[in-house]
Amino acid sequence: MATSLQRAGLRLTHLSRSALISTKYSSQADALVESRTGEIGVVAGIPEEHLRRRVVIYSPARVATQQGAGKVGKWKINFLSTQKWENPLMGWTSTGDPYANVGESALTFNSEEDAKAFAERHGWQYEVKKRHTPLLKPKAYADNFKWKGPPMQES
Amino acid sequence: MGLSSLTSRAMIRRILHTTTTTRSHNFSLIRSIVSTPELNNTASAAAEPTPDPPAPPPRPPVNNARVHFPNPEDAIEVFVDGYAVKIPKGFTVLQACEVAGVDIPRFCYHSRLSIAGNCRMCLVEVEKSPKPVASCAMPALPGMKIKTDTPIAKKAREGVMEFLLMNHPLDCPICDQGGECDLQDQSMAFGSDRGRFTETKRAVVDKNLGPLVKTVMTRCIQCTRCVRFASEVAGTEDLGMLGRGSGEEIGTYVEKLMTSELSGNVIDICPVGALTSKPFAFKARNWELKPTESIDVTDAVGSNIRIDSRGPEVMRIIPRLNEDVNEEWISDKTRFCYDGLKRQRLNDPMIRGSDGRFKAVSWRDALDVIAEVMHKVKPEEIVGVAGKLSDAESMMALKDFMNKMGSNNVWCEGNGGQPQADLRSGYLLNTGIADLENADVFLLIGTQPRVEATMVNARIRKAVRANHAKVGYIGPAAEFNYDHEHLGTGPQTLQELAKGSHSFFSALKNAKKPAIVVGAGLFEREDKDAILSIVETIAKSANVIRPDWNGLNVLLLNAAQAAALDLGLVPESDKSIESAKFLYLMGADDINLDKVPSDAFVVYQGHHGDQSVYRANVILPASAFSEKEGTYANTEGRTQQTLPAVPTVGDARDDWKIIRALSETAGISLPYDSLIDIRERMRTVAPNLLSMEEREPATYSTLIKPEVKKEIDPAPFKAAIENFYMTDAITRASKIMAQCSSQLLKK
Ligand code: SF4
Ligand code: FES
């Protein structure tokens, strides 16, 4: 499926991204200065109110409309951002939240731990949603021809 | 699927080919329709050695699926692309590939439907098999060597794809499925850039399936998923396949609307754009939508949903997998109620003037007026009612606020006058929604799960189909989509069952896993304690509650009910409404306000201008479930949370914030000002409401309850829900739901 082509590419970018992050921060642990929770935001000059946010870490479910699993298994951060309004003149959507479009489209993590670590570094209070997985049960083509008892009555 | 490696391998081969052999040099001018030239060289494909010590697959199972081993000894080992996987006996080849982390392309196979094996997209190569095999229909056998990305498999799938695309219109730019279409995606991998079909494409007349499902039947690829869904899950044998060959069509034979409360799910399972959502048609493209994973509140099941929004607007609602609650389906009410979120919304605080008209005021003025009135009435005359869509946080705030005002008359609508909230097992679906599947005898008392909790009904239907479960029903004549026995209409039948003289009693007694389901509609009856105690007698004598199986269930109706009872929203006196001087309605629209004294001051806090607004003196606008974070407990006691997807309308605020603000204006500030604090407060009252996504089963069994001595009223049971499509403020405001009830229910 097309997703698999994508997946190979994505995996590469993720690898490089996570490699980047890990080298940066793990080397920091041995370095003279240790980064503390939330400090990264202060250093980066992120406004005060965005340093203490509540976020939800979750793993998006497979879209019910499609069967492909290429995008399943990633972790995302939902910033609970709903400060949006429609411009009364043009009908465009505006937002007052710099993170409004970050969670959905820009941040993807390979594991829950990565996402948590990211949130911790930024000093966000997070909540992790349980991931739901399907349960595979044996099924057979032959079941179509099994005797299923007397036929249903007309109801 | 390793396609990238496959294509690159093919490309290298092609270069080699064209340079080495002189004959194929001529061919290279005509690009072949199949992109696997290795096939000319079959020896190379066959001579791929499998690594000797079988390594475990490098990938996790597709969708991170869990594998259910019914019998651990029955595990077999197969090899998928050279990697060994352990699977239970009875799995198909496709499932084995999934366990190995290989996603097999498919159209007709759906994990929750029976196997049809008619699209042939899932072809794989199996060693020693002369032809590619359809993996979805082929049982996996021990030691089978399955190869999923060989040139033969690829060529076979390309052939299938070419046939499918032959008659599939080039509609993608104007198709609502575009962007989330299985055919579109898979044709990127297996489709050709040209076709060899030169005749005209066939056209099929669109069918009218009602107000929810839009059909463009020319796009249909005859996978029959919708047919299987309708007959297996929905239980309405409406859809079928007509004709043969290129005259084959999906339809209802005679024009007929699809009258199922699950019909919206065919939109999801259709792999192409043949069945799409009618209300959503041409409203948005799916890649513009922002998904928010949330919970449904239109019934007590708490189906897991995904709210798709664009800007400040909810565009659609689709289901989300949760094996324990709704599997992958949702009811039509859940799916299509969203347009009610945009209609009849309250967006400003309003006070009714002396002329009887509402005037918009500021929040401060509105709260001041309410606080002033509240301090003038006696504490026992203050009454608070939570609505059926309220979340646990705001009910907690309402209860604390009322208690601080000195009143203990606070309850949640739907729970009846004197609800029994002491034992959790007395109001929960103790068996659990998923476990209902295993029951073999059902006794439904005063409940029609089909309209009250569609997803629970789907489970009962599953049990009837799979285990031939017997269903006995006591209540008014109702429609069921499975075989059932109508035992009677009222409490007499219950008494007969309790005496053991009824023929159904022996079925219940001899059942391995019997389930009694009592409808929450009975909570509104005067004699409900007596009825519940007689049900307990039946449960006791039929041995329904066992150490490993609790079969005595209550099926609730509304999303707020379970949490309200967990938090102890129980009124002190059941006549409080008649003597109320100050009535605080937090989204309560279905309580009878006729008995409220005319001089009572009524505050309505809610999101829709629905029934109670007519009597209100002050209106406070609140946010709906799609706009707030709220905790809900479903009918089996599972705690789940909604997340905000869109901004609130106008000047509306979250329910608990309004009450918190009002408490401050009234001079008795509640001790919490964030969601975290209020949840800490909830922990002291009902700790189970904080264990998210978990089902906390009730610990006490109902069997230790004291005997009730009360007369049973012989009046027959009434239907709890009259109109499936319109049960609360949101669905009553929805235009789509109105269409459904007029066209499908003829109401
Ligand atoms: S309408 Fe859709 S689901 Fe039904 S057979 Fe056609 S393609 Fe399959
Ligand atoms: S998915 Fe196997 S034949 Fe259709």
Side-chain angles (χ1 to χ4, degrees):
Chain A
M1 272 168 253
T3 45
S4 60
L5 288 173
Q6 238 175 24
R7 210 193 292 159
L10 270 181
R11 213 180 284 138
L12 265 179
T13 51
H14 280 304
L15 267 181
S16 58
R17 188 185 294 167
S18 50
L20 245 175
I21 290 173
S22 59
T23 48
K24 224 194 218 149
Y25 296 101
S26 62
S27 66
Q28 225 170 42
D30 317 325
L32 292 174
V33 202
E34 215 173 282
S35 88
R36 259 166 289 134
T37 314
E39 219 171 51
I40 181 164
V42 180
V43 173
I46 292 174
E48 199 48 42
E49 69 266 32
H50 296 300
L51 288 177
R52 270 184 298 278
R53 284 186 73 126
R54 275 190 60 230
V55 300
V56 174
I57 295 174
Y58 69 108
S59 178
R62 180 174 64 73
V63 200
T65 48
Q66 274 195 289
Q67 296 284 310
K71 284 187 183 165
V72 183
K74 300 271 175 283
W75 288 83
K76 293 221 165 247
I77 291 183
N78 181 347
F79 285 89
L80 304 175
S81 154
T82 55
Q83 299 171 30
K84 282 186 192 146
W85 60 91
E86 209 158 75
N87 182 314
L89 180 64
M90 300 299 286
W92 292 335
T93 308
S94 315
T95 174
D97 180 2
Y99 284 118
N101 298 309
V102 175
E104 219 307 287
S105 44
L107 282 178
T108 317
F109 302 93
N110 282 336
S111 71
E112 191 184 328
E113 281 65 43
D114 285 359
K116 278 190 197 163
F118 189 86
E120 265 160 29
R121 272 206 306 280
H122 282 82
W124 296 326
Q125 213 177 357
Y126 61 81
E127 212 173 282
V128 183
K129 287 255 147 135
K130 202 171 120 193
R131 165 163 82 180
H132 292 288
T133 49
L135 185 63
L136 293 179
K137 288 183 188 159
K139 60 195 281 188
Y141 185 61
D143 292 349
N144 290 337
F145 309 105
K146 261 213 312 242
W147 162 244
K148 296 193 189 75
M152 233 169 97
Q153 289 157 20
E154 275 304 308
S155 50
Chain B
M1 215 168 299
L3 275 180
S4 40
S5 64
L6 200 77
T7 27
S8 55
R9 212 196 305 155
M11 255 152 59
I12 296 166
R13 290 253 166 75
R14 182 181 295 182
I15 295 165
L16 285 178
H17 230 78
T18 42
T19 45
T20 49
T21 52
T22 42
R23 259 192 57 208
S24 63
H25 193 74
N26 310 339
F27 284 133
S28 69
L29 291 178
I30 316 156
R31 270 162 59 205
S32 86
I33 194 113
V34 171
S35 66
T36 38
E38 301 98 315
L39 277 190
N40 307 340
N41 185 355
T42 32
S44 75
E48 234 161 75
T50 39
D52 228 35
R59 278 181 294 240
V62 170
N63 287 326
N64 298 300
R66 292 162 288 151
V67 182
H68 173 65
F69 283 90
N71 199 345
E73 298 96 69
D74 273 353
I76 58 171
E77 196 179 47
V78 297
F79 300 88
V80 179
D81 293 335
Y83 299 108
V85 278
K86 274 232 155 33
I87 52 165
K89 209 158 119 194
F91 261 34
T92 60
V93 171
L94 187 140
Q95 284 176 313
C97 294
E98 283 195 337
V99 176
V102 179
D103 203 358
I104 302 289
R106 70 197 68 174
F107 291 116
C108 69
Y109 178 81
H110 191 283
S111 52
R112 277 157 227 283
L113 302 175
S114 68
I115 299 170
N118 59 6
C119 75
R120 304 274 131 183
M121 195 60 201
C122 61
L123 294 173
V124 296
E125 208 185 328
V126 173
E127 217 170 85
K128 299 209 195 74
S129 153
K131 292 190 289 183
V133 300
S135 61
C136 69
M138 179 71 146
L141 301 173
M144 215 178 208
K145 294 204 169 58
I146 303 156
K147 294 188 203 137
T148 59
D149 64 351
T150 59
I152 291 188
K154 182 156 194 282
K155 185 181 176 213
R157 292 178 196 164
E158 280 170 345
V160 170
M161 182 56 80
E162 199 185 344
F163 275 119
L164 287 177
L165 293 182
M166 215 164 78
N167 267 325
H168 193 81
L170 285 170
D171 264 357
C172 305
I174 55 142
C175 175
D176 270 316
Q177 191 86 356
E180 51 177 16
C181 173
D182 278 336
L183 187 70
Q184 207 178 23
D185 267 13
Q186 293 178 28
S187 69
M188 293 306 287
F190 301 105
S192 164
D193 56 351
R194 75 211 53 215
R196 286 177 285 190
F197 181 69
T198 48
E199 281 97 299
T200 45
K201 294 195 182 218
R202 73 175 193 145
V204 183
V205 180
D206 294 345
K207 313 290 183 295
N208 180 10
L209 291 186
L212 300 176
V213 183
K214 180 189 161 192
T215 61
V216 184
M217 284 331 248
T218 312
R219 294 178 190 152
C220 172
I221 56 168
Q222 272 75 37
C223 69
T224 69
R225 271 190 199 170
C226 54
V227 178
R228 280 174 285 145
F229 176 84
S231 62
E232 287 163 21
V233 181
T236 47
E237 315 258 334
D238 283 347
L239 293 174
M241 174 85 89
L242 316 165
R244 287 189 66 117
S246 68
E248 210 168 59
E249 288 182 23
I250 297 290
T252 47
Y253 198 60
V254 284
E255 176 123 354
K256 184 174 168 216
L257 305 187
M258 198 169 165
T259 51
S260 161
E261 58 296 314
L262 286 172
S263 64
N265 292 301
V266 298
I267 296 165
D268 290 339
I269 57 166
C270 182
V272 295
L275 306 176
T276 51
S277 162
K278 208 172 239 177
F280 180 65
F282 308 130
K283 290 281 183 332
R285 301 312 308 243
N286 51 63
W287 55 85
E288 308 170 319
L289 303 175
K290 182 188 127 214
T292 309
E293 303 201 336
S294 188
I295 298 298
D296 166 54
V297 299
T298 54
D299 57 24
V301 178
S303 302
N304 287 210
I305 54 168
R306 199 182 99 166
I307 302 177
D308 281 357
S309 56
R310 187 181 59 184
E313 213 182 330
V314 176
M315 298 308 290
R316 66 169 180 182
I317 291 176
I318 55 174
R320 172 161 74 85
L321 174 105
N322 189 336
E323 290 279 3
D324 299 324
V325 182
N326 57 323
E327 301 180 270
E328 252 179 301
W329 319 122
I330 48 172
S331 73
D332 286 353
K333 186 165 52 168
T334 308
R335 186 184 297 261
F336 293 110
C337 69
Y338 62 86
D339 75 325
L341 293 168
K342 300 169 207 162
R343 263 162 230 287
Q344 299 214 310
R345 289 297 297 268
L346 303 172
N347 47 13
D348 280 310
M350 281 183 263
I351 298 180
R352 198 189 284 275
S354 44
D355 56 348
R357 292 177 156 275
F358 279 115
K359 211 168 103 254
V361 292
S362 73
W363 272 105
R364 174 158 293 280
D365 294 349
L367 295 180
D368 282 345
V369 169
I370 299 170
E372 207 188 301
V373 177
M374 265 188 119
H375 280 300
K376 274 195 215 130
V377 298
K378 281 196 234 107
E380 358 19 296
E381 290 166 349
I382 297 177
V383 175
V385 186
K388 47 166 72 163
L389 305 178
S390 308
D391 52 298
E393 285 87 353
S394 42
M395 286 193 286
M396 184 79 257
L398 180 69
K399 182 167 163 48
D400 281 351
F401 177 54
M402 289 293 150
N403 290 166
K404 278 210 168 185
M405 289 303 293
S407 154
N408 205 8
N409 284 317
V410 51
W411 75 91
C412 174
E413 62 178 350
N415 280 344
Q418 284 290 305
Q420 190 282 95
D422 297 336
L423 297 170
R424 268 184 100 225
S425 58
Y427 54 85
L428 290 185
L429 195 83
N430 296 309
T431 311
I433 295 175
D435 278 336
L436 277 184
E437 251 176 51
N438 304 323
D440 50 0
V441 172
F442 289 92
L443 176 62
L444 309 177
I445 302 169
T447 177
Q448 295 119 34
R450 188 168 175 187
V451 288
E452 291 174 15
T454 317
M455 295 329 301
V456 171
N457 192 54
R459 297 281 184 165
I460 300 179
R461 184 176 151 75
K462 218 169 159 185
V464 172
R465 260 181 70 86
N467 326 342
H468 307 292
K470 265 181 96 164
V471 180
Y473 165 67
I474 305 175
E479 262 187 56
F480 279 81
N481 48 9
Y482 38 80
D483 248 353
H484 71 285
E485 215 176 298
H486 195 171
L487 307 176
T489 55
Q492 274 108 346
T493 323
L494 275 183
Q495 278 158 335
E496 281 168 34
L497 275 166
K499 272 189 250 129
S501 59
H502 200 283
S503 59
F504 195 80
F505 183 76
S506 58
L508 201 65
K509 200 169 164 64
N510 298 332
K512 277 203 210 70
K513 291 185 167 178
I516 299 180
V517 184
V518 183
L522 301 185
F523 285 179
E524 303 284 359
R525 280 174 72 107
E526 289 290 319
D527 57 347
K528 73 161 196 301
D529 287 330
I531 288 184
L532 289 181
S533 83
I534 200 166
V535 171
E536 269 156 40
T537 322
I538 299 174
K540 230 185 270 181
S541 48
N543 195 17
V544 164
I545 304 175
R546 303 165 190 177
D548 58 335
W549 174 265
N550 189 347
L552 183 55
N553 301 300
V554 174
L555 181 58
L556 297 178
L557 290 169
N558 310 324
Q561 264 177 311
L565 292 172
D566 280 350
L567 293 172
L569 264 75
V570 178
E572 205 164 33
S573 80
D574 47 359
K575 294 270 171 290
S576 50
I577 276 241
E578 282 87 335
S579 58
K581 285 274 153 13
F582 178 90
L583 185 58
Y584 198 96
L585 302 174
M586 193 177 74
D589 278 305
D590 291 273
I591 68 165
N592 189 355
L593 293 178
D594 299 342
K595 291 204 212 103
V596 180
S598 53
D599 60 340
F601 190 84
V602 179
V603 178
Y604 179 77
Q605 165 188 334
H607 37 80
H608 277 77
D610 206 44
Q611 292 159 3
S612 295
V613 165
Y614 294 108
R615 179 61 187 81
N617 297 75
V618 177
I619 294 175
L620 302 176
S623 48
F625 77 99
S626 56
E627 297 148 13
K628 68 178 172 196
E629 222 187 317
T631 305
Y632 290 86
N634 78 354
T635 180
E636 54 168 356
R638 181 183 302 275
T639 312
Q640 303 181 108
Q641 253 175 19
T642 58
L643 288 180
V646 288
T648 50
V649 173
D651 219 2
R653 296 283 189 276
D654 287 358
D655 283 306
W656 72 268
K657 284 184 186 158
I658 299 174
I659 291 169
R660 170 69 181 75
L662 180 58
S663 73
E664 199 165 318
T665 324
I668 42 154
S669 294
L670 292 173
Y672 27 74
D673 30 44
S674 77
L675 215 51
I676 306 280
D677 295 349
I678 203 166
R679 289 197 180 137
E680 276 316 307
R681 164 77 182 122
M682 269 156 59
R683 191 190 295 281
T684 60
V685 181
N688 60 296
L689 289 177
L690 274 106
S691 45
M692 217 31 77
E693 305 262 334
E694 294 297 334
R695 170 171 173 246
E696 197 118 331
T699 34
Y700 295 103
S701 110
T702 17
L703 297 181
I704 54 169
K705 254 195 347 201
E707 282 291 311
V708 214
K709 291 270 166 284
K710 222 178 178 186
E711 275 308 296
I712 286 188
D713 176 6
F717 299 139
K718 283 207 285 290
I721 289 180
E722 310 239 304
N723 181 348
F724 165 70
Y725 295 103
M726 292 183 158
T727 48
D728 49 52
I730 297 174
T731 46
R732 276 191 292 260
S734 158
K735 223 170 152 182
I736 308 170
M737 291 293 107
Q739 269 172 10
C740 285
S741 49
S742 74
Q743 292 184 23
L744 301 176
L745 301 178
K746 309 269 184 284
K747 277 203 173 132

